[in-house]
Amino acid sequence: MKNFSLLILFVILITSCKIKINKNNLQEDIFVDHVNPFLGTGGHGHTYPGATVPFGMLQVSPDNGVSSWDWCSGYHYSDSIVAGFSHLHLSGTGIGDLTDILFMPTNKKVDLTVKTTSRDQLPYKSSYSHANEKASPGYYQVYLEDPKINVELTSTQRTAFHKYTFAKEDKQAVVIDLGFAINWDKALKTALTIEDKYTISGYRFSTGWAKNQKVFFVAKFSKPISESVLTANQKIVSGTASEGEHTTAQLFFDAAGSDEVLVKVALSSVSIANAKDNLETENFNFENVKAKATTTWNTALNKITVETPVDSLKTIFYTAMYHTQLAPVTYSDKNGQFRKENDEIVTAKNYTAYSSLSLWDTFRAENPLLTLVAPDKVSDLVNSMLAYYDTKKILPVWTLYANETNTMTGYHSIPVIVDAYKKGIKGFDSEKAYTAMKTTMMQDERGLNLYKQYGFIPYNLLDESVTITLEYAYDDWCVAQMAKALGKNEDYQFFLNRSKAYQHLFDPKTGFMRGKSADGKSWNEPFDPKHSNHREQTDYTEGNAWQHSWFVPQDVEDFISLHGSNEVFAKRLEQLFTESSEITGSNVSADISGLIGQYAHGNEPSHHIAYMFNRAGQPWRTQYWVRHILDTQYNTTPNGLSGNEDCGQMSAWYVFSSMGLYPMNPASGEYEIGSPIFEKATINLQDGKTFVIEAENVSNKNFYIQSATLNGVPFNKTAITHQQIVQGGILHFVMGSEPNKNWGLTK
C-alpha cells in the first residue's frame, strides 16, 4: 500500500510538472504571437518585414527594387513586386543603403546580359500578394506568383537560411545579383566564384551612405549545382568565376527527388574565409533554425511583460519591443575581427562590435531602454564606439558598416556612454571613454570651432545653428557629469558652464530659440516659428522653431526661468500641442510628421517635450498629452508608426511611455513619470529581480494619476531613478478620469 501511494504521488508529481512545462511553453509562445513585423512597413515607418534575430548580423528580407525615400529599408507595404531577397537591411532610417547580396529563385532561364535601369527591366522579378505573405520574429514567407515558388527565410546571428519550394517538375534555379542596388548605394567591384557543386562565394564592394562598404559572402546549397551561367558587366563569362562592377549568376538544380532548394548564407566585412567561419555548421534543417529563432525572440521579448485585456495594445507593445532589438547590429565576425572605414582589420577582444549606430535618434530612449532590457549589450556598444575613436580620435555620429556618415547633429555617443557609466554598467575603460568625450568636444569639426569661439553657433556662419548649439550644450553637460564622477573638478566646471550655451539663443519676447548672428545681438529675421527648410539655409534640423525650442533636458528649471515662470512656460508648452499644424516654406522637411498642433511625434526632437510639464508644476498635462500621443500616433497597421522608426527610437518611446516612464534627460539616470496604459507591466531584470508597474482602474478614460505608492510607501514624485528600478519592487498607481492636481508636486 505504501509503494502504491508513492507511485500515485510520483504520477501526480510528473503530471503536474508536465502541465507546468506545457503552460510555460504556452506562455513563451504568447510573446512572438503578438508581434506584427509588417507594422511600420507602410507610411513613413521604413521598417522591413524579413527575418533576423535580436541584434543579428544579417537581416534577410524582401526587396521591392524601388529607389525612393519610403523604400529606405528595401520594402514598402504599398508595393506588389519583389526583386529578390538580400541580406543586409536598415530598420526605419531616413536614408537608404545596404540590400547587399541579392538572391532570387526562378523557374526559367533568364537573360542576365540585359542592362537594367529600373526594377521593371529585371528579368527575374515577380509579383506577390499580401494574402500569401507572412512574417513573425525570425521568420518570413511569401509566395512568388510569377514563377510559382514559395519562399521562406529565417536566420541565426550570423547565417541566413532560405527555403525555396518549387512547383512539381518545374525548372529549379536561383539568381544571384551582386550589382543590385537601391537609393544611395552603388556597386563598385563584385566577384562570384563557384567553389564546388554545393558552394559559391564572392564579395561586393560598394559606395553609398557608407562610402567604403566591403561585404564578403559564402553560400551553400542543399542540392548540387547542375548548370550555371555567370556574367560580368552584362557579358557571359566562361569558367567558374566572374569579376567586375556588376556580376551575376544563375544556378540550376536537378528537379528530381525534391521540390525544395535550401540555401544558407553567411557574410563578413573582412574576408570570404571569415564568412565561411561565420557559416552555421548545422545542416539544412530549416524548421529547427526557425524554432531556435523563435525561442531567441521569446526570450528577448520576455524582458518586459505587460497585462491588458486589449489585444491591440499588446500587438503595438511587443512589436515595439521587437523593433527596439533589431538595431544596432552585430558587425564583428565569429573570431572577433571586423573592418574599419580605413580598411584596417581589428579584433574585438572580449566584446562584440556593433554597427548601424543611429545615435541622433537612439540616445533619447532606445539606448536607455537597452540598459534595462539588454544591459549585456551596452558595454559592447560603448567599446564599439571607442574602437571608432581609436581610428578617428573623434567619437562617432552615425556609423554604418563602420563608416562615419556624419548624418545629423551633435555627438550623441557621449550621452550613451555617460548613461551607461552612471547606471553602473561595467566592461569598458571609463578613463579612456572620458578622454574620448573630452577630446571630441574640444576639437574643431562640425561647427565646434564656432561654438568655442562665440559660445554658440552664429546662424550666419553655419546652417542649423540653433539645433547644433542646443545639442552641443547637452553633450557638454554630459561630459561635465562624467568629469564630476571621475573627480575631474576643473573639467566639470568648464563643461558645465559651456552647457549653458542655450541661454544665448533664447528670445524672451517670442519664447523661442532663435538664430543669432556673430555679433551676439541680432536675431535672424524675418522670423516665422512654423517655417521649415530641409537641411539647408535653416536654423533648425528637420523641423522648425516650434519643435526645436525645447531641447534643454539638462536644466529644465533654468530653462523655465528664462520664460519667466512655470505658468508662462506651461502655457507656451500647451500652445505647442494646440497651435494649428500648418508648416510654412517651399522645402518643408518630410520628417515633420505625426503632428499634434506643432508637436511632431514622427521625428525625434519632439519626443521628450510632453514630459516637461512635470517640471513646470503641471504633471497632469504630461499625463494628458502622453496618453493622447500613445492613442493617436501608434496602431497595428502597416501605417502604425507616425514617422521613421529610426533603429528603434520610435518604438522605444512607446515601450517606455506605455509603462508610464520616459528618460526625458537620457543621461540623468532618471525616468519621468507619464501615464501608464497597462494594468501591469513587469520589467524582468538581469539578476532575477523584477520591477512591477501597476495601474489600478486604468482605461481609455482613466489616464490621470490619482495617487501612487512605491513598495507600499506613498510616492508623490514625477520621476524615479534607474537605481530604484533595478533594486526591484512595485510602483502602484491609482488612475482616474479627472486630474489630481496635487499629485506629483513634491520636489
Side-chain angles (χ1 to χ4, degrees):
M1 187 70 182
K2 182 179 179 183
N3 289 340
F4 180 77
S5 298
L6 287 173
L7 179 62
I8 294 296
L9 185 63
F10 179 75
V11 170
I12 291 170
L13 181 63
I14 292 296
T15 304
S16 65
C17 288
K18 188 173 183 181
I19 291 169
K20 188 176 181 182
I21 290 168
N22 288 341
K23 186 178 179 182
N24 285 343
N25 286 341
L26 181 64
Q27 179 69 21
E28 286 178 356
D29 289 340
I30 288 173
F31 303 114
V32 290
D33 288 348
H34 280 296
V35 175
N36 177 11
F38 292 109
L39 196 162
T41 60
H44 300 320
H46 296 187
T47 62
Y48 60 83
T52 188
V53 293
F55 314 106
M57 176 179 275
L58 303 180
Q59 312 81 38
V60 58
S61 189
D63 295 310
N64 299 132
V66 173
S67 290
S68 186
W69 189 56
D70 279 332
W71 278 260
C72 281
S73 74
Y75 177 99
H76 195 265
Y77 198 79
S78 63
D79 216 322
S80 60
I81 301 293
V82 64
F85 307 91
S86 64
H87 292 79
L88 295 174
H89 292 86
L90 289 162
S91 179
T93 58
I95 299 176
D97 201 334
L98 303 185
T99 67
D100 296 76
I101 320 299
L102 184 92
F103 278 55
M104 182 64 167
T106 185
N107 65 346
K108 61 184 179 183
K109 192 166 188 175
V110 297
D111 185 358
L112 296 175
T113 65
V114 176
K115 186 175 179 63
T116 58
T117 56
S118 73
R119 70 108 177 255
D120 294 337
Q121 298 166 320
L122 293 174
Y124 49 77
K125 70 181 186 300
S126 175
S127 57
Y128 68 98
S129 167
H130 296 308
N132 294 313
E133 184 184 32
K134 295 177 184 176
S136 61
Y139 175 72
Y140 174 84
Q141 173 272 325
V142 68
Y143 181 73
L144 304 180
E145 295 177 348
D146 299 335
K148 296 180 174 55
I149 299 169
N150 193 56
V151 174
E152 296 175 84
L153 308 171
T154 190
S155 185
T156 65
Q157 187 180 16
R158 292 186 175 88
T159 301
F161 287 75
H162 303 235
K163 180 181 178 182
Y164 308 140
T165 304
F166 294 80
K168 287 192 181 301
E169 300 181 3
D170 255 8
K171 188 182 289 289
Q172 297 178 6
V174 178
V175 171
I176 298 96
D177 189 344
L178 301 188
F180 176 82
I182 62 165
N183 290 334
W184 292 27
D185 184 47
K186 182 182 187 301
L188 297 176
K189 185 179 180 182
T190 67
L192 275 163
T193 299
I194 300 173
E195 294 196 358
D196 58 46
K197 60 184 181 179
Y198 291 100
T199 311
I200 65 168
S201 63
Y203 60 79
R204 184 180 189 274
F205 301 166
S206 62
T207 186
W209 194 12
K211 299 300 181 188
N212 179 26
Q213 188 194 0
K214 290 183 168 68
V215 182
F216 300 86
F217 81 96
V218 62
K220 280 193 174 291
F221 296 88
S222 60
K223 283 185 170 185
I225 300 165
S226 59
E227 181 188 347
S228 62
V229 177
L230 273 64
T231 75
N233 303 329
Q234 288 77 48
K235 293 181 180 179
I236 294 175
V237 298
S238 59
T240 58
S242 63
E243 187 177 64
E245 181 181 316
H246 186 166
T247 57
T248 65
Q250 184 169 18
L251 310 177
F252 298 89
F253 305 88
D254 190 345
S258 173
D259 299 330
E260 296 176 354
V261 174
L262 293 96
V263 198
K264 54 182 179 178
V265 183
L267 310 183
S268 166
S269 68
V270 175
S271 65
I272 291 172
N274 274 19
K276 290 178 178 178
D277 189 43
N278 290 339
L279 192 70
E280 289 285 348
T281 55
E282 181 172 350
N283 291 328
F284 296 92
N285 191 331
F286 185 91
E287 292 303 321
N288 191 39
V289 175
K290 176 188 170 186
K292 287 181 179 178
T294 300
T295 300
T296 302
W297 272 115
N298 270 323
T299 301
L301 297 171
N302 186 34
K303 298 297 177 64
I304 303 176
T305 61
V306 297
E307 297 178 23
T308 175
V310 185
D311 284 345
S312 61
L313 294 182
K314 288 183 180 178
T315 297
I316 298 170
F317 180 84
Y318 284 112
T319 304
M321 279 286 287
Y322 169 75
H323 281 146
T324 62
Q325 297 176 80
L326 294 181
V329 301
T330 299
Y331 184 60
S332 54
D333 292 329
K334 193 175 176 182
N335 64 7
Q337 290 185 326
F338 63 97
R339 180 182 298 272
K340 290 191 173 183
E341 186 177 3
N342 63 356
D343 283 322
E344 179 187 2
I345 305 300
V346 295
T347 301
K349 295 179 180 176
N350 302 316
Y351 76 96
T352 299
Y354 287 92
S355 188
S356 293
L357 305 182
S358 182
L359 294 163
W360 187 79
D361 308 290
T362 63
F363 87 94
R364 304 168 197 268
E366 160 76 3
N367 288 105
L369 181 65
L370 296 184
T371 66
L372 286 171
V373 302
D376 55 316
K377 302 288 189 295
V378 176
S379 62
D380 288 359
L381 293 175
V382 174
N383 283 315
S384 299
M385 294 188 284
L386 294 179
Y388 177 91
Y389 171 78
D390 286 340
T391 303
K392 292 287 189 104
K393 299 307 174 190
I394 297 176
L395 283 167
V397 176
W398 207 128
T399 59
L400 175 60
Y401 229 74
N403 282 233
E404 178 58 87
T405 68
N406 269 313
T407 301
M408 309 312 292
T409 45
Y411 282 100
H412 299 318
S413 44
I414 290 172
V416 173
I417 295 170
V418 175
D419 181 47
Y421 181 77
K422 290 185 73 172
K423 289 176 178 174
I425 289 174
K426 310 296 184 186
F428 64 93
D429 185 335
S430 58
E431 286 289 344
K432 179 180 178 180
Y434 177 75
T435 299
M437 292 190 295
K438 179 180 177 180
T439 302
T440 297
M441 291 307 293
M442 292 305 293
Q443 46 88 18
D444 291 331
E445 290 190 16
R446 291 164 47 87
L448 274 169
N449 57 330
L450 302 173
Y451 180 75
K452 290 190 293 185
Q453 181 179 349
Y454 295 95
F456 65 97
I457 295 175
Y459 79 85
N460 55 327
L461 299 181
L462 188 67
D463 277 348
E464 303 181 337
S465 61
V466 173
T467 300
I468 296 171
T469 297
L470 296 180
E471 294 188 8
Y472 282 160
Y474 179 67
D475 292 338
D476 273 345
W477 181 87
C478 292
V479 177
Q481 303 313 301
M482 188 84 161
K484 183 180 182 181
L486 294 174
K488 303 177 189 296
N489 294 324
E490 190 175 330
D491 281 0
Y492 168 67
Q493 289 298 333
F494 173 82
F495 285 106
L496 187 66
N497 290 336
R498 213 171 69 167
S499 74
K500 305 289 186 184
Y502 62 87
Q503 295 175 350
H504 291 286
L505 301 186
F506 182 75
D507 176 11
K509 291 183 180 179
T510 64
F512 291 102
M513 296 288 182
R514 296 183 55 186
K516 184 175 279 187
S517 74
D519 64 17
K521 299 176 182 178
S522 53
W523 301 109
N524 190 359
E525 300 285 1
F527 176 64
D528 174 4
K530 295 183 178 180
H531 185 268
S532 165
N533 202 50
H534 185 65
R535 303 307 310 263
E536 59 182 6
Q537 297 179 328
T538 179
D539 296 335
Y540 311 97
T541 301
E542 294 183 355
N544 61 24
W546 270 114
Q547 291 133 26
H548 282 264
S549 291
W550 308 95
F551 191 70
V552 190
Q554 70 270 29
D555 198 345
V556 181
E557 286 70 22
D558 182 61
F559 182 35
I560 291 172
S561 73
L562 294 179
H563 287 263
S565 68
N566 278 349
E567 291 71 25
V568 172
F569 179 83
K571 184 178 179 181
R572 287 173 175 167
L573 197 53
E574 189 76 19
Q575 189 182 352
L576 168 73
F577 292 94
T578 58
E579 185 71 19
S580 80
S581 295
E582 177 193 15
I583 307 293
T584 60
S586 59
N587 185 28
V588 172
S589 177
D591 297 275
I592 303 175
S593 60
L595 286 166
I596 303 171
Q598 285 287 313
Y599 173 91
H601 192 72
N603 208 19
E604 281 67 25
S606 287
H607 280 189
H608 70 291
I609 300 175
Y611 290 90
M612 299 183 102
F613 284 106
N614 278 355
R615 303 299 181 91
Q618 294 188 15
W620 62 92
R621 296 315 287 165
T622 284
Q623 294 156 34
Y624 175 86
W625 286 115
V626 166
R627 182 57 185 254
H628 184 75
I629 298 164
L630 285 164
D631 287 345
T632 62
Q633 301 301 304
Y634 298 84
N635 62 60
T636 60
T637 73
N639 278 12
L641 299 175
S642 60
N644 297 165
E645 167 62 23
D646 283 316
C647 293
Q649 171 58 28
M650 196 65 63
S651 290
W653 189 95
Y654 189 91
V655 170
F656 269 126
S657 296
S658 64
M659 292 192 295
L661 308 173
Y662 192 75
M664 182 181 70
N665 176 352
S668 67
E670 287 189 338
Y671 306 96
E672 294 294 315
I673 290 171
S675 179
I677 204 169
F678 301 114
E679 280 80 351
K680 184 178 180 181
T682 303
I683 303 172
N684 296 303
L685 301 165
Q686 197 173 32
D687 57 2
K689 295 178 182 177
T690 61
F691 187 79
V692 179
I693 302 167
E694 298 173 338
E696 183 181 340
N697 300 326
V698 71
S699 70
N700 59 354
K701 293 181 180 178
N702 294 344
F703 51 79
Y704 289 112
I705 296 172
Q706 306 299 299
S707 63
T709 58
L710 178 61
N711 299 324
V713 178
F715 187 80
N716 199 37
K717 297 181 179 180
T718 59
I720 187 169
T721 68
H722 183 80
Q723 292 309 315
Q724 285 174 303
I725 289 175
V726 297
Q727 286 168 12
I730 300 174
L731 178 60
H732 183 88
F733 295 106
V734 177
M735 311 300 290
S737 60
E738 297 294 329
N740 176 0
K741 296 184 179 181
N742 294 315
W743 183 85
L745 300 185
T746 302
K747 294 291 184 184

